Amino acid sequence: FNLNVKVLMIRVLLVLLVLGSVEGRRARGQRTQTPESFPLDFTAVEGNMESFMTQVKNLAQSLYPCSTQKLDQEMKLQFLRNSSVTCNDGSPAGYYIKESRGSRRWLMFLEGGWYCFSKHTCDSRYETMRRLMSSSKWPPTRTGTGILSSQPEENPHWWNANTVFVPYCSSDVWSGSTAKTDQNDYAFMGSQIIQEVIKELVTKGLDGAKVLLLAGSSAGGTGVLLNVDRVSELLEDLGLGSVQVRGLADSGWFLDHKQYRLTDCIDTISCAPTEAIKRGVRYWNSVVPERCSHVYNGEDWNCFFGYKVQPTLKRPVFVVQWLFDEAQLMVDNVHLTGQPVQEGQWRYIQNLGSELRNTLKNVPAMFAPACLSHEIITRSYWMDIHVKGTSLPRALQCWDRSLRHHGNSSSIQAPLRGCPLHLIDSCPWPHCNPTCPTIREQLTGQEMSVIQFLTHLGFDVQRMAQQQGMEPHKLLGMLSNGT
């Protein structure tokens, strides 16, 4: 290890010793102002990151037994004290929590999992996806992965945060405000679940927080866009306006464009997103950001689409979005399994990437790889994906640093040198980024190269090269290199 590494190790040791002494005083009944726990800048040790993180973790775990609390890997289930706020079937809503004594950073994650928008679609969902409508079989603990992990080598900048996982059991994209009654077969209380969780977290230490990151994936990502301002406003109403509330929306930036193949709106998957959300907003009695509702003259369904709601938000949001999102393609009725895709489908897929790029061009902080996938921030491989040489955790750290002195304002500083915030791939095909997640052949489970994957889907190298005005061998080289 060089001198910079040793200096960083000393800084980590000092922080952990302070936290240990604070815990010891608290155990003896003394009221203490908790110091802020902060993420370190690991740029100097990137070459030795794995070894460095292992030593930091071992050091932390050896120090904590000397205090009143051991480092705990698991989040524990808590049902809401307010029993009137429920899942779809009337069972109690709740959340999983792992507290990190001494940390003033809080991460609250909203789970995803589609939605239902009518009695028929909700009855079907209850038969096939009951865990997303009921808490009756929730396990007592959960272990976080990706950004929810307490392992510093998997989660270098948020591993020591207070972590909260809110299971999705309202089927309303976290927007509903309807209780279960004799007239209503199901409750849709997603927006109220979030509000109740926040109120309970205030009693568990959120009142002393510096930063609250409201994160979510898929429907949870859209839920972040719908609720980040409301969460901040709730904390202000509770006298906690000093808490900096930010959003992290993963795979929730959907488009309301025309489907590749139009179908009747009979189920969740084939129904056009615009029509499904229009029906859902009425069925769920949805609550959307006030400024967005005003901009669209009460046509609140517009606020479920990221490129429409994001410009109206007051709080900063970091957007993470695959350019070829599997869920978007599914609702657009483009299916990439089985038979090779037709030329019209290829054009549609390429246009999807172009449309997404256009909607993201004015988003100040975002990460958009040209991959065919869905969700990333809770995947164990989330550190492996890069855009223009920058990983997602590194981009989030850069964003965090740019916001450090801006409170609850959505404005950010100019990007620091070597610390980009607006990261989007420019290559035009699915998986043209060489760091994309591994593709496996469905029947055999064997890994496929990018060229094998595209060929499997019916990609015509000769035709595509001709369209791009280049030699086929040059196109193959570009695909192999991800350029």
Short mmCIF file of all heavy atoms in Angstrom, two decimals, residues 80 82 85-87 93-95 108-112 138 164-170 172-177 188-202 206 212-216 219-235 238 245-246 287 289:
data_model
loop_
_atom_site.label_atom_id
_atom_site.label_comp_id
_atom_site.label_asym_id
_atom_site.label_seq_id
_atom_site.Cartn_x
_atom_site.Cartn_y
_atom_site.Cartn_z
N LEU A 80 -46.35 -1.73 10.04
CA LEU A 80 -46.74 -0.37 10.40
C LEU A 80 -47.63 -0.37 11.64
O LEU A 80 -48.53 -1.21 11.78
CB LEU A 80 -47.49 0.29 9.24
CG LEU A 80 -46.68 0.60 7.97
CD1 LEU A 80 -47.59 1.21 6.90
CD2 LEU A 80 -45.51 1.53 8.27
N ASN A 82 -49.73 1.97 12.26
CA ASN A 82 -51.05 2.41 11.78
C ASN A 82 -51.66 1.27 10.97
O ASN A 82 -51.38 1.12 9.78
CB ASN A 82 -50.91 3.68 10.94
CG ASN A 82 -52.26 4.25 10.51
OD1 ASN A 82 -53.29 3.59 10.64
ND2 ASN A 82 -52.23 5.46 9.99
N VAL A 85 -53.43 1.41 7.28
CA VAL A 85 -52.68 1.50 6.02
C VAL A 85 -52.20 0.09 5.67
O VAL A 85 -51.36 -0.48 6.38
CB VAL A 85 -51.50 2.48 6.15
CG1 VAL A 85 -50.70 2.53 4.85
CG2 VAL A 85 -52.01 3.87 6.51
N THR A 86 -52.75 -0.47 4.59
CA THR A 86 -52.60 -1.91 4.33
C THR A 86 -52.13 -2.22 2.92
O THR A 86 -52.08 -1.35 2.04
CB THR A 86 -53.94 -2.62 4.55
OG1 THR A 86 -54.85 -2.26 3.49
CG2 THR A 86 -54.57 -2.27 5.89
N CYS A 87 -51.82 -3.50 2.73
CA CYS A 87 -51.59 -4.07 1.40
C CYS A 87 -52.93 -4.22 0.68
O CYS A 87 -54.00 -3.96 1.24
CB CYS A 87 -50.91 -5.43 1.52
SG CYS A 87 -49.29 -5.38 2.32
N ALA A 93 -49.30 -3.45 6.01
CA ALA A 93 -48.10 -3.05 5.26
C ALA A 93 -46.94 -2.91 6.24
O ALA A 93 -47.13 -2.88 7.46
CB ALA A 93 -48.36 -1.75 4.53
N GLY A 94 -45.73 -2.82 5.71
CA GLY A 94 -44.58 -2.71 6.60
C GLY A 94 -43.31 -2.41 5.85
O GLY A 94 -43.33 -2.02 4.67
N TYR A 95 -42.18 -2.63 6.52
CA TYR A 95 -40.88 -2.34 5.93
C TYR A 95 -39.81 -3.16 6.66
O TYR A 95 -40.03 -3.66 7.76
CB TYR A 95 -40.55 -0.85 6.03
CG TYR A 95 -40.58 -0.30 7.44
CD1 TYR A 95 -39.40 -0.17 8.19
CD2 TYR A 95 -41.78 0.10 8.03
CE1 TYR A 95 -39.43 0.32 9.50
CE2 TYR A 95 -41.82 0.60 9.33
CZ TYR A 95 -40.64 0.71 10.06
OH TYR A 95 -40.67 1.20 11.34
N MET A 108 -33.85 4.61 1.60
CA MET A 108 -35.16 3.96 1.63
C MET A 108 -35.50 3.50 0.22
O MET A 108 -35.60 4.30 -0.70
CB MET A 108 -36.21 4.95 2.16
CG MET A 108 -37.63 4.42 2.18
SD MET A 108 -38.69 5.59 3.08
CE MET A 108 -40.30 5.17 2.40
N PHE A 109 -35.67 2.18 0.06
CA PHE A 109 -35.85 1.57 -1.26
C PHE A 109 -37.29 1.10 -1.45
O PHE A 109 -37.84 0.38 -0.61
CB PHE A 109 -34.89 0.40 -1.42
CG PHE A 109 -35.01 -0.31 -2.74
CD1 PHE A 109 -34.37 0.17 -3.87
CD2 PHE A 109 -35.80 -1.45 -2.86
CE1 PHE A 109 -34.50 -0.48 -5.10
CE2 PHE A 109 -35.94 -2.10 -4.08
CZ PHE A 109 -35.29 -1.62 -5.20
N LEU A 110 -37.89 1.48 -2.60
CA LEU A 110 -39.23 1.04 -2.97
C LEU A 110 -39.14 -0.11 -3.97
O LEU A 110 -38.57 0.04 -5.06
CB LEU A 110 -40.02 2.20 -3.60
CG LEU A 110 -40.09 3.51 -2.81
CD1 LEU A 110 -40.90 4.55 -3.59
CD2 LEU A 110 -40.69 3.27 -1.43
N GLU A 111 -39.68 -1.25 -3.61
CA GLU A 111 -39.66 -2.43 -4.48
C GLU A 111 -40.56 -2.20 -5.70
O GLU A 111 -41.53 -1.44 -5.65
CB GLU A 111 -40.15 -3.66 -3.71
CG GLU A 111 -40.01 -4.97 -4.48
CD GLU A 111 -40.56 -6.16 -3.72
OE1 GLU A 111 -41.43 -5.98 -2.85
OE2 GLU A 111 -40.12 -7.29 -4.01
N GLY A 112 -40.24 -2.87 -6.80
CA GLY A 112 -41.06 -2.82 -8.01
C GLY A 112 -41.82 -4.11 -8.22
O GLY A 112 -41.75 -5.04 -7.43
N TRP A 138 -44.49 -12.71 4.16
CA TRP A 138 -43.21 -12.03 4.15
C TRP A 138 -42.26 -12.68 5.15
O TRP A 138 -42.66 -12.99 6.28
CB TRP A 138 -43.39 -10.56 4.54
CG TRP A 138 -44.02 -9.71 3.48
CD1 TRP A 138 -44.35 -10.07 2.20
CD2 TRP A 138 -44.40 -8.33 3.61
NE1 TRP A 138 -44.92 -9.01 1.54
CE2 TRP A 138 -44.95 -7.93 2.37
CE3 TRP A 138 -44.32 -7.41 4.64
CZ2 TRP A 138 -45.42 -6.64 2.16
CZ3 TRP A 138 -44.77 -6.12 4.43
CH2 TRP A 138 -45.32 -5.74 3.20
N VAL A 164 -33.48 0.89 4.53
CA VAL A 164 -34.89 0.53 4.66
C VAL A 164 -35.39 -0.01 3.32
O VAL A 164 -35.22 0.64 2.28
CB VAL A 164 -35.74 1.75 5.08
CG1 VAL A 164 -37.22 1.36 5.20
CG2 VAL A 164 -35.22 2.34 6.38
N PHE A 165 -35.98 -1.20 3.34
CA PHE A 165 -36.57 -1.82 2.15
C PHE A 165 -38.08 -1.87 2.35
O PHE A 165 -38.56 -2.48 3.32
CB PHE A 165 -36.00 -3.24 1.96
CG PHE A 165 -36.57 -3.99 0.79
CD1 PHE A 165 -35.89 -4.04 -0.43
CD2 PHE A 165 -37.79 -4.66 0.89
CE1 PHE A 165 -36.41 -4.74 -1.50
CE2 PHE A 165 -38.32 -5.36 -0.19
CZ PHE A 165 -37.63 -5.40 -1.39
N VAL A 166 -38.84 -1.23 1.47
CA VAL A 166 -40.30 -1.21 1.59
C VAL A 166 -40.89 -2.16 0.53
O VAL A 166 -40.83 -1.86 -0.66
CB VAL A 166 -40.87 0.20 1.42
CG1 VAL A 166 -42.36 0.22 1.83
CG2 VAL A 166 -40.10 1.22 2.24
N PRO A 167 -41.43 -3.32 0.95
CA PRO A 167 -42.00 -4.26 -0.02
C PRO A 167 -43.20 -3.65 -0.74
O PRO A 167 -43.98 -2.90 -0.15
CB PRO A 167 -42.42 -5.46 0.84
CG PRO A 167 -41.69 -5.29 2.14
CD PRO A 167 -41.53 -3.83 2.33
N TYR A 168 -43.34 -4.02 -2.00
CA TYR A 168 -44.43 -3.52 -2.84
C TYR A 168 -45.62 -4.45 -2.69
O TYR A 168 -45.58 -5.60 -3.10
CB TYR A 168 -43.93 -3.51 -4.28
CG TYR A 168 -44.84 -2.92 -5.33
CD1 TYR A 168 -45.62 -1.80 -5.10
CD2 TYR A 168 -44.88 -3.49 -6.61
CE1 TYR A 168 -46.43 -1.25 -6.09
CE2 TYR A 168 -45.66 -2.94 -7.61
CZ TYR A 168 -46.44 -1.83 -7.35
OH TYR A 168 -47.22 -1.28 -8.35
N CYS A 169 -46.70 -3.95 -2.09
CA CYS A 169 -47.89 -4.78 -1.93
C CYS A 169 -49.17 -4.00 -2.22
O CYS A 169 -50.25 -4.38 -1.78
CB CYS A 169 -47.95 -5.38 -0.51
SG CYS A 169 -48.22 -4.16 0.80
N SER A 170 -49.04 -2.90 -2.98
CA SER A 170 -50.19 -2.04 -3.28
C SER A 170 -50.57 -2.03 -4.75
O SER A 170 -51.65 -1.53 -5.10
CB SER A 170 -49.90 -0.61 -2.82
OG SER A 170 -48.71 -0.12 -3.43
N ASP A 172 -50.02 -0.30 -7.29
CA ASP A 172 -50.51 0.97 -7.81
C ASP A 172 -49.38 1.94 -8.17
O ASP A 172 -49.59 3.15 -8.22
CB ASP A 172 -51.42 1.63 -6.76
CG ASP A 172 -50.71 1.81 -5.41
OD1 ASP A 172 -49.50 1.47 -5.31
OD2 ASP A 172 -51.35 2.27 -4.45
N VAL A 173 -48.18 1.40 -8.42
CA VAL A 173 -47.00 2.22 -8.72
C VAL A 173 -46.77 3.23 -7.59
O VAL A 173 -46.37 4.36 -7.82
CB VAL A 173 -47.13 2.92 -10.09
CG1 VAL A 173 -45.76 3.36 -10.60
CG2 VAL A 173 -47.76 2.01 -11.13
N TRP A 174 -47.06 2.82 -6.36
CA TRP A 174 -46.81 3.64 -5.17
C TRP A 174 -47.58 4.95 -5.21
O TRP A 174 -47.10 5.97 -4.72
CB TRP A 174 -45.31 3.90 -4.99
CG TRP A 174 -44.52 2.67 -4.74
CD1 TRP A 174 -43.80 1.95 -5.65
CD2 TRP A 174 -44.38 1.96 -3.49
NE1 TRP A 174 -43.22 0.84 -5.06
CE2 TRP A 174 -43.57 0.83 -3.73
CE3 TRP A 174 -44.87 2.18 -2.20
CZ2 TRP A 174 -43.22 -0.07 -2.73
CZ3 TRP A 174 -44.53 1.29 -1.20
CH2 TRP A 174 -43.71 0.18 -1.47
N SER A 175 -48.80 4.93 -5.76
CA SER A 175 -49.53 6.18 -5.95
C SER A 175 -50.90 6.22 -5.27
O SER A 175 -51.50 7.28 -5.15
CB SER A 175 -49.73 6.45 -7.44
OG SER A 175 -50.69 5.54 -7.99
N GLY A 176 -51.45 5.07 -4.84
CA GLY A 176 -52.84 4.99 -4.45
C GLY A 176 -53.16 5.54 -3.07
O GLY A 176 -52.29 5.68 -2.21
N SER A 177 -54.46 5.82 -2.88
CA SER A 177 -54.94 6.33 -1.59
C SER A 177 -56.34 5.83 -1.28
O SER A 177 -57.17 6.55 -0.74
CB SER A 177 -54.92 7.87 -1.59
OG SER A 177 -55.77 8.38 -2.61
N PHE A 188 -55.65 0.24 -2.28
CA PHE A 188 -54.53 0.76 -3.08
C PHE A 188 -53.98 1.95 -2.30
O PHE A 188 -54.49 3.06 -2.41
CB PHE A 188 -54.99 1.16 -4.48
CG PHE A 188 -55.55 0.03 -5.27
CD1 PHE A 188 -56.92 -0.16 -5.37
CD2 PHE A 188 -54.72 -0.90 -5.90
CE1 PHE A 188 -57.46 -1.22 -6.09
CE2 PHE A 188 -55.24 -1.97 -6.61
CZ PHE A 188 -56.61 -2.13 -6.70
N MET A 189 -52.95 1.71 -1.51
CA MET A 189 -52.49 2.71 -0.55
C MET A 189 -50.98 2.96 -0.64
O MET A 189 -50.32 3.30 0.35
CB MET A 189 -52.88 2.28 0.87
CG MET A 189 -54.35 1.95 1.03
SD MET A 189 -54.87 1.68 2.75
CE MET A 189 -55.00 3.38 3.33
N GLY A 190 -50.43 2.82 -1.84
CA GLY A 190 -48.98 2.97 -2.00
C GLY A 190 -48.43 4.29 -1.50
O GLY A 190 -47.41 4.33 -0.80
N SER A 191 -49.08 5.40 -1.85
CA SER A 191 -48.57 6.71 -1.43
C SER A 191 -48.65 6.86 0.09
O SER A 191 -47.77 7.45 0.72
CB SER A 191 -49.35 7.84 -2.11
OG SER A 191 -50.69 7.88 -1.66
N GLN A 192 -49.69 6.30 0.69
CA GLN A 192 -49.85 6.40 2.14
C GLN A 192 -48.89 5.48 2.90
O GLN A 192 -48.44 5.82 4.00
CB GLN A 192 -51.30 6.10 2.51
CG GLN A 192 -52.24 7.22 2.07
CD GLN A 192 -53.70 6.83 2.21
OE1 GLN A 192 -54.25 6.16 1.34
NE2 GLN A 192 -54.33 7.25 3.27
N ILE A 193 -48.57 4.34 2.30
CA ILE A 193 -47.56 3.46 2.91
C ILE A 193 -46.24 4.21 3.06
O ILE A 193 -45.59 4.18 4.12
CB ILE A 193 -47.37 2.17 2.08
CG1 ILE A 193 -48.63 1.29 2.17
CG2 ILE A 193 -46.13 1.40 2.54
CD1 ILE A 193 -48.63 0.11 1.22
N ILE A 194 -45.83 4.92 2.00
CA ILE A 194 -44.58 5.68 2.05
C ILE A 194 -44.64 6.73 3.16
O ILE A 194 -43.69 6.89 3.95
CB ILE A 194 -44.30 6.35 0.69
CG1 ILE A 194 -43.99 5.28 -0.37
CG2 ILE A 194 -43.14 7.35 0.79
CD1 ILE A 194 -43.89 5.82 -1.78
N GLN A 195 -45.74 7.45 3.24
CA GLN A 195 -45.87 8.50 4.26
C GLN A 195 -45.79 7.91 5.68
O GLN A 195 -45.13 8.47 6.56
CB GLN A 195 -47.21 9.23 4.07
CG GLN A 195 -47.35 9.95 2.73
CD GLN A 195 -46.75 11.34 2.72
OE1 GLN A 195 -47.12 12.19 3.51
NE2 GLN A 195 -45.79 11.56 1.83
N GLU A 196 -46.44 6.76 5.89
CA GLU A 196 -46.42 6.14 7.21
C GLU A 196 -45.04 5.62 7.57
O GLU A 196 -44.60 5.70 8.72
CB GLU A 196 -47.45 5.01 7.29
CG GLU A 196 -48.89 5.48 7.34
CD GLU A 196 -49.19 6.36 8.55
OE1 GLU A 196 -48.76 6.01 9.67
OE2 GLU A 196 -49.85 7.40 8.36
N VAL A 197 -44.34 5.05 6.60
CA VAL A 197 -42.98 4.57 6.86
C VAL A 197 -42.10 5.74 7.28
O VAL A 197 -41.34 5.64 8.26
CB VAL A 197 -42.39 3.85 5.62
CG1 VAL A 197 -40.90 3.55 5.84
CG2 VAL A 197 -43.14 2.55 5.34
N ILE A 198 -42.19 6.85 6.58
CA ILE A 198 -41.38 8.02 6.93
C ILE A 198 -41.68 8.47 8.37
O ILE A 198 -40.76 8.74 9.16
CB ILE A 198 -41.65 9.19 5.95
CG1 ILE A 198 -41.10 8.85 4.56
CG2 ILE A 198 -41.06 10.49 6.46
CD1 ILE A 198 -39.59 8.77 4.48
N LYS A 199 -42.94 8.52 8.74
CA LYS A 199 -43.30 8.95 10.11
C LYS A 199 -42.69 8.02 11.15
O LYS A 199 -42.22 8.48 12.20
CB LYS A 199 -44.83 8.98 10.26
CG LYS A 199 -45.51 10.09 9.46
CD LYS A 199 -47.03 9.96 9.57
CE LYS A 199 -47.74 10.94 8.66
NZ LYS A 199 -49.21 10.74 8.68
N GLU A 200 -42.69 6.73 10.88
CA GLU A 200 -42.10 5.79 11.84
C GLU A 200 -40.58 5.90 11.89
O GLU A 200 -39.97 5.78 12.95
CB GLU A 200 -42.53 4.36 11.51
CG GLU A 200 -44.00 4.10 11.77
CD GLU A 200 -44.34 2.62 11.95
OE1 GLU A 200 -43.40 1.80 12.07
OE2 GLU A 200 -45.54 2.31 11.98
N LEU A 201 -39.96 6.16 10.73
CA LEU A 201 -38.50 6.27 10.71
C LEU A 201 -38.03 7.49 11.50
O LEU A 201 -36.91 7.49 12.04
CB LEU A 201 -38.00 6.35 9.26
CG LEU A 201 -38.20 5.09 8.41
CD1 LEU A 201 -37.63 5.31 7.02
CD2 LEU A 201 -37.58 3.87 9.06
N VAL A 202 -38.86 8.52 11.56
CA VAL A 202 -38.50 9.70 12.35
C VAL A 202 -38.26 9.32 13.80
O VAL A 202 -37.36 9.84 14.46
CB VAL A 202 -39.60 10.79 12.23
CG1 VAL A 202 -39.41 11.88 13.28
CG2 VAL A 202 -39.60 11.39 10.83
N LEU A 206 -34.38 9.08 11.94
CA LEU A 206 -34.41 9.91 10.73
C LEU A 206 -34.46 11.40 11.08
O LEU A 206 -34.07 12.24 10.28
CB LEU A 206 -35.62 9.52 9.86
CG LEU A 206 -35.76 10.23 8.51
CD1 LEU A 206 -34.56 9.94 7.61
CD2 LEU A 206 -37.05 9.81 7.80
N LEU A 212 -31.50 11.80 3.04
CA LEU A 212 -32.39 10.66 2.79
C LEU A 212 -32.45 10.44 1.30
O LEU A 212 -32.88 11.32 0.55
CB LEU A 212 -33.80 10.93 3.32
CG LEU A 212 -34.88 9.93 2.88
CD1 LEU A 212 -34.57 8.51 3.36
CD2 LEU A 212 -36.27 10.36 3.35
N LEU A 213 -31.98 9.27 0.86
CA LEU A 213 -32.05 8.90 -0.56
C LEU A 213 -33.24 7.97 -0.74
O LEU A 213 -33.25 6.85 -0.24
CB LEU A 213 -30.76 8.20 -0.99
CG LEU A 213 -30.70 7.75 -2.46
CD1 LEU A 213 -30.78 8.96 -3.40
CD2 LEU A 213 -29.44 6.96 -2.74
N LEU A 214 -34.27 8.44 -1.45
CA LEU A 214 -35.43 7.62 -1.78
C LEU A 214 -35.15 6.95 -3.11
O LEU A 214 -35.08 7.61 -4.15
CB LEU A 214 -36.68 8.49 -1.86
CG LEU A 214 -37.99 7.74 -2.16
CD1 LEU A 214 -38.38 6.82 -1.01
CD2 LEU A 214 -39.13 8.73 -2.46
N ALA A 215 -34.95 5.63 -3.08
CA ALA A 215 -34.58 4.87 -4.27
C ALA A 215 -35.65 3.86 -4.60
O ALA A 215 -36.48 3.49 -3.76
CB ALA A 215 -33.23 4.17 -4.05
N GLY A 216 -35.64 3.37 -5.84
CA GLY A 216 -36.60 2.34 -6.24
C GLY A 216 -36.28 1.83 -7.63
O GLY A 216 -35.63 2.51 -8.43
N ALA A 219 -41.42 -0.33 -11.10
CA ALA A 219 -42.54 0.45 -10.56
C ALA A 219 -42.09 1.27 -9.36
O ALA A 219 -42.61 2.36 -9.11
CB ALA A 219 -43.69 -0.48 -10.18
N GLY A 220 -41.11 0.76 -8.62
CA GLY A 220 -40.56 1.52 -7.50
C GLY A 220 -39.78 2.74 -7.98
O GLY A 220 -39.76 3.77 -7.30
N GLY A 221 -39.14 2.63 -9.14
CA GLY A 221 -38.44 3.79 -9.72
C GLY A 221 -39.41 4.88 -10.11
O GLY A 221 -39.18 6.07 -9.85
N THR A 222 -40.53 4.49 -10.73
CA THR A 222 -41.58 5.46 -11.03
C THR A 222 -42.15 6.02 -9.74
O THR A 222 -42.46 7.21 -9.64
CB THR A 222 -42.69 4.82 -11.86
OG1 THR A 222 -42.12 4.16 -13.01
CG2 THR A 222 -43.70 5.85 -12.35
N GLY A 223 -42.28 5.15 -8.72
CA GLY A 223 -42.75 5.60 -7.41
C GLY A 223 -41.87 6.67 -6.80
O GLY A 223 -42.35 7.58 -6.11
N VAL A 224 -40.56 6.59 -7.04
CA VAL A 224 -39.65 7.63 -6.56
C VAL A 224 -40.01 8.97 -7.19
O VAL A 224 -40.09 10.00 -6.51
CB VAL A 224 -38.18 7.25 -6.88
CG1 VAL A 224 -37.25 8.45 -6.66
CG2 VAL A 224 -37.73 6.08 -6.02
N LEU A 225 -40.22 8.98 -8.50
CA LEU A 225 -40.55 10.22 -9.20
C LEU A 225 -41.87 10.80 -8.69
O LEU A 225 -42.02 12.02 -8.60
CB LEU A 225 -40.64 9.96 -10.71
CG LEU A 225 -39.35 9.48 -11.38
CD1 LEU A 225 -39.62 9.01 -12.81
CD2 LEU A 225 -38.30 10.59 -11.38
N LEU A 226 -42.81 9.93 -8.34
CA LEU A 226 -44.12 10.39 -7.87
C LEU A 226 -44.09 10.88 -6.42
O LEU A 226 -44.96 11.67 -6.01
CB LEU A 226 -45.15 9.26 -7.99
CG LEU A 226 -45.52 8.81 -9.41
CD1 LEU A 226 -46.41 7.58 -9.35
CD2 LEU A 226 -46.23 9.93 -10.16
N ASN A 227 -43.11 10.43 -5.63
CA ASN A 227 -43.18 10.67 -4.19
C ASN A 227 -42.02 11.47 -3.59
O ASN A 227 -42.12 11.87 -2.42
CB ASN A 227 -43.26 9.32 -3.46
CG ASN A 227 -44.63 8.67 -3.60
OD1 ASN A 227 -45.57 9.02 -2.90
ND2 ASN A 227 -44.73 7.71 -4.52
N VAL A 228 -40.95 11.72 -4.33
CA VAL A 228 -39.78 12.34 -3.71
C VAL A 228 -40.10 13.73 -3.16
O VAL A 228 -39.67 14.10 -2.05
CB VAL A 228 -38.58 12.37 -4.70
CG1 VAL A 228 -38.85 13.26 -5.91
CG2 VAL A 228 -37.30 12.79 -3.99
N ASP A 229 -40.87 14.53 -3.89
CA ASP A 229 -41.23 15.85 -3.39
C ASP A 229 -42.17 15.75 -2.18
O ASP A 229 -42.05 16.52 -1.22
CB ASP A 229 -41.89 16.68 -4.49
CG ASP A 229 -40.88 17.34 -5.42
OD1 ASP A 229 -39.66 17.19 -5.18
OD2 ASP A 229 -41.30 17.99 -6.39
N ARG A 230 -43.10 14.81 -2.22
CA ARG A 230 -44.05 14.65 -1.12
C ARG A 230 -43.35 14.21 0.17
O ARG A 230 -43.71 14.63 1.26
CB ARG A 230 -45.15 13.65 -1.49
CG ARG A 230 -46.02 14.11 -2.65
CD ARG A 230 -47.20 13.18 -2.90
NE ARG A 230 -48.18 13.28 -1.84
CZ ARG A 230 -48.55 12.27 -1.05
NH1 ARG A 230 -48.00 11.07 -1.20
NH2 ARG A 230 -49.46 12.44 -0.11
N VAL A 231 -42.34 13.35 0.04
CA VAL A 231 -41.56 12.93 1.21
C VAL A 231 -40.85 14.13 1.82
O VAL A 231 -40.85 14.33 3.05
CB VAL A 231 -40.56 11.82 0.83
CG1 VAL A 231 -39.52 11.62 1.93
CG2 VAL A 231 -41.30 10.51 0.56
N SER A 232 -40.23 14.95 0.98
CA SER A 232 -39.53 16.13 1.48
C SER A 232 -40.50 17.09 2.15
O SER A 232 -40.20 17.66 3.22
CB SER A 232 -38.81 16.83 0.32
OG SER A 232 -38.04 17.92 0.78
N GLU A 233 -41.67 17.26 1.56
CA GLU A 233 -42.68 18.16 2.14
C GLU A 233 -43.19 17.63 3.47
O GLU A 233 -43.44 18.42 4.41
CB GLU A 233 -43.82 18.35 1.14
CG GLU A 233 -43.42 19.21 -0.06
CD GLU A 233 -44.30 18.98 -1.29
OE1 GLU A 233 -45.32 18.25 -1.16
OE2 GLU A 233 -43.96 19.50 -2.37
N LEU A 234 -43.34 16.31 3.59
CA LEU A 234 -43.77 15.72 4.86
C LEU A 234 -42.74 16.01 5.96
O LEU A 234 -43.10 16.39 7.08
CB LEU A 234 -43.97 14.22 4.70
CG LEU A 234 -44.24 13.43 5.99
CD1 LEU A 234 -45.51 13.91 6.68
CD2 LEU A 234 -44.32 11.92 5.70
N LEU A 235 -41.46 15.83 5.64
CA LEU A 235 -40.42 16.09 6.63
C LEU A 235 -40.40 17.56 7.02
O LEU A 235 -40.18 17.91 8.19
CB LEU A 235 -39.06 15.65 6.09
CG LEU A 235 -38.86 14.12 6.00
CD1 LEU A 235 -37.56 13.79 5.28
CD2 LEU A 235 -38.86 13.49 7.39
N LEU A 238 -43.00 18.17 9.48
CA LEU A 238 -42.64 17.61 10.79
C LEU A 238 -41.50 18.39 11.45
O LEU A 238 -40.97 17.96 12.48
CB LEU A 238 -42.25 16.14 10.63
CG LEU A 238 -43.36 15.19 10.17
CD1 LEU A 238 -42.79 13.80 9.86
CD2 LEU A 238 -44.46 15.08 11.22
N VAL A 245 -33.45 15.57 0.94
CA VAL A 245 -34.14 14.45 0.30
C VAL A 245 -33.78 14.41 -1.18
O VAL A 245 -33.88 15.42 -1.88
CB VAL A 245 -35.67 14.58 0.48
CG1 VAL A 245 -36.39 13.41 -0.21
CG2 VAL A 245 -36.04 14.64 1.96
N ARG A 246 -33.37 13.24 -1.63
CA ARG A 246 -32.98 13.04 -3.03
C ARG A 246 -33.63 11.77 -3.56
O ARG A 246 -34.03 10.91 -2.79
CB ARG A 246 -31.46 12.92 -3.15
CG ARG A 246 -30.71 14.08 -2.55
CD ARG A 246 -29.23 13.78 -2.38
NE ARG A 246 -28.55 14.86 -1.68
CZ ARG A 246 -27.31 14.79 -1.23
NH1 ARG A 246 -26.61 13.67 -1.41
NH2 ARG A 246 -26.75 15.81 -0.61
N VAL A 287 -52.40 9.73 -6.18
CA VAL A 287 -51.87 11.03 -5.77
C VAL A 287 -50.58 11.26 -6.55
O VAL A 287 -49.68 10.41 -6.54
CB VAL A 287 -51.57 11.06 -4.26
CG1 VAL A 287 -51.01 12.42 -3.85
CG2 VAL A 287 -52.82 10.73 -3.46
N PRO A 289 -47.48 14.36 -7.99
CA PRO A 289 -46.91 15.65 -7.60
C PRO A 289 -47.80 16.82 -8.04
O PRO A 289 -48.26 16.86 -9.18
CB PRO A 289 -45.55 15.67 -8.31
CG PRO A 289 -45.20 14.23 -8.49
CD PRO A 289 -46.50 13.54 -8.72
#
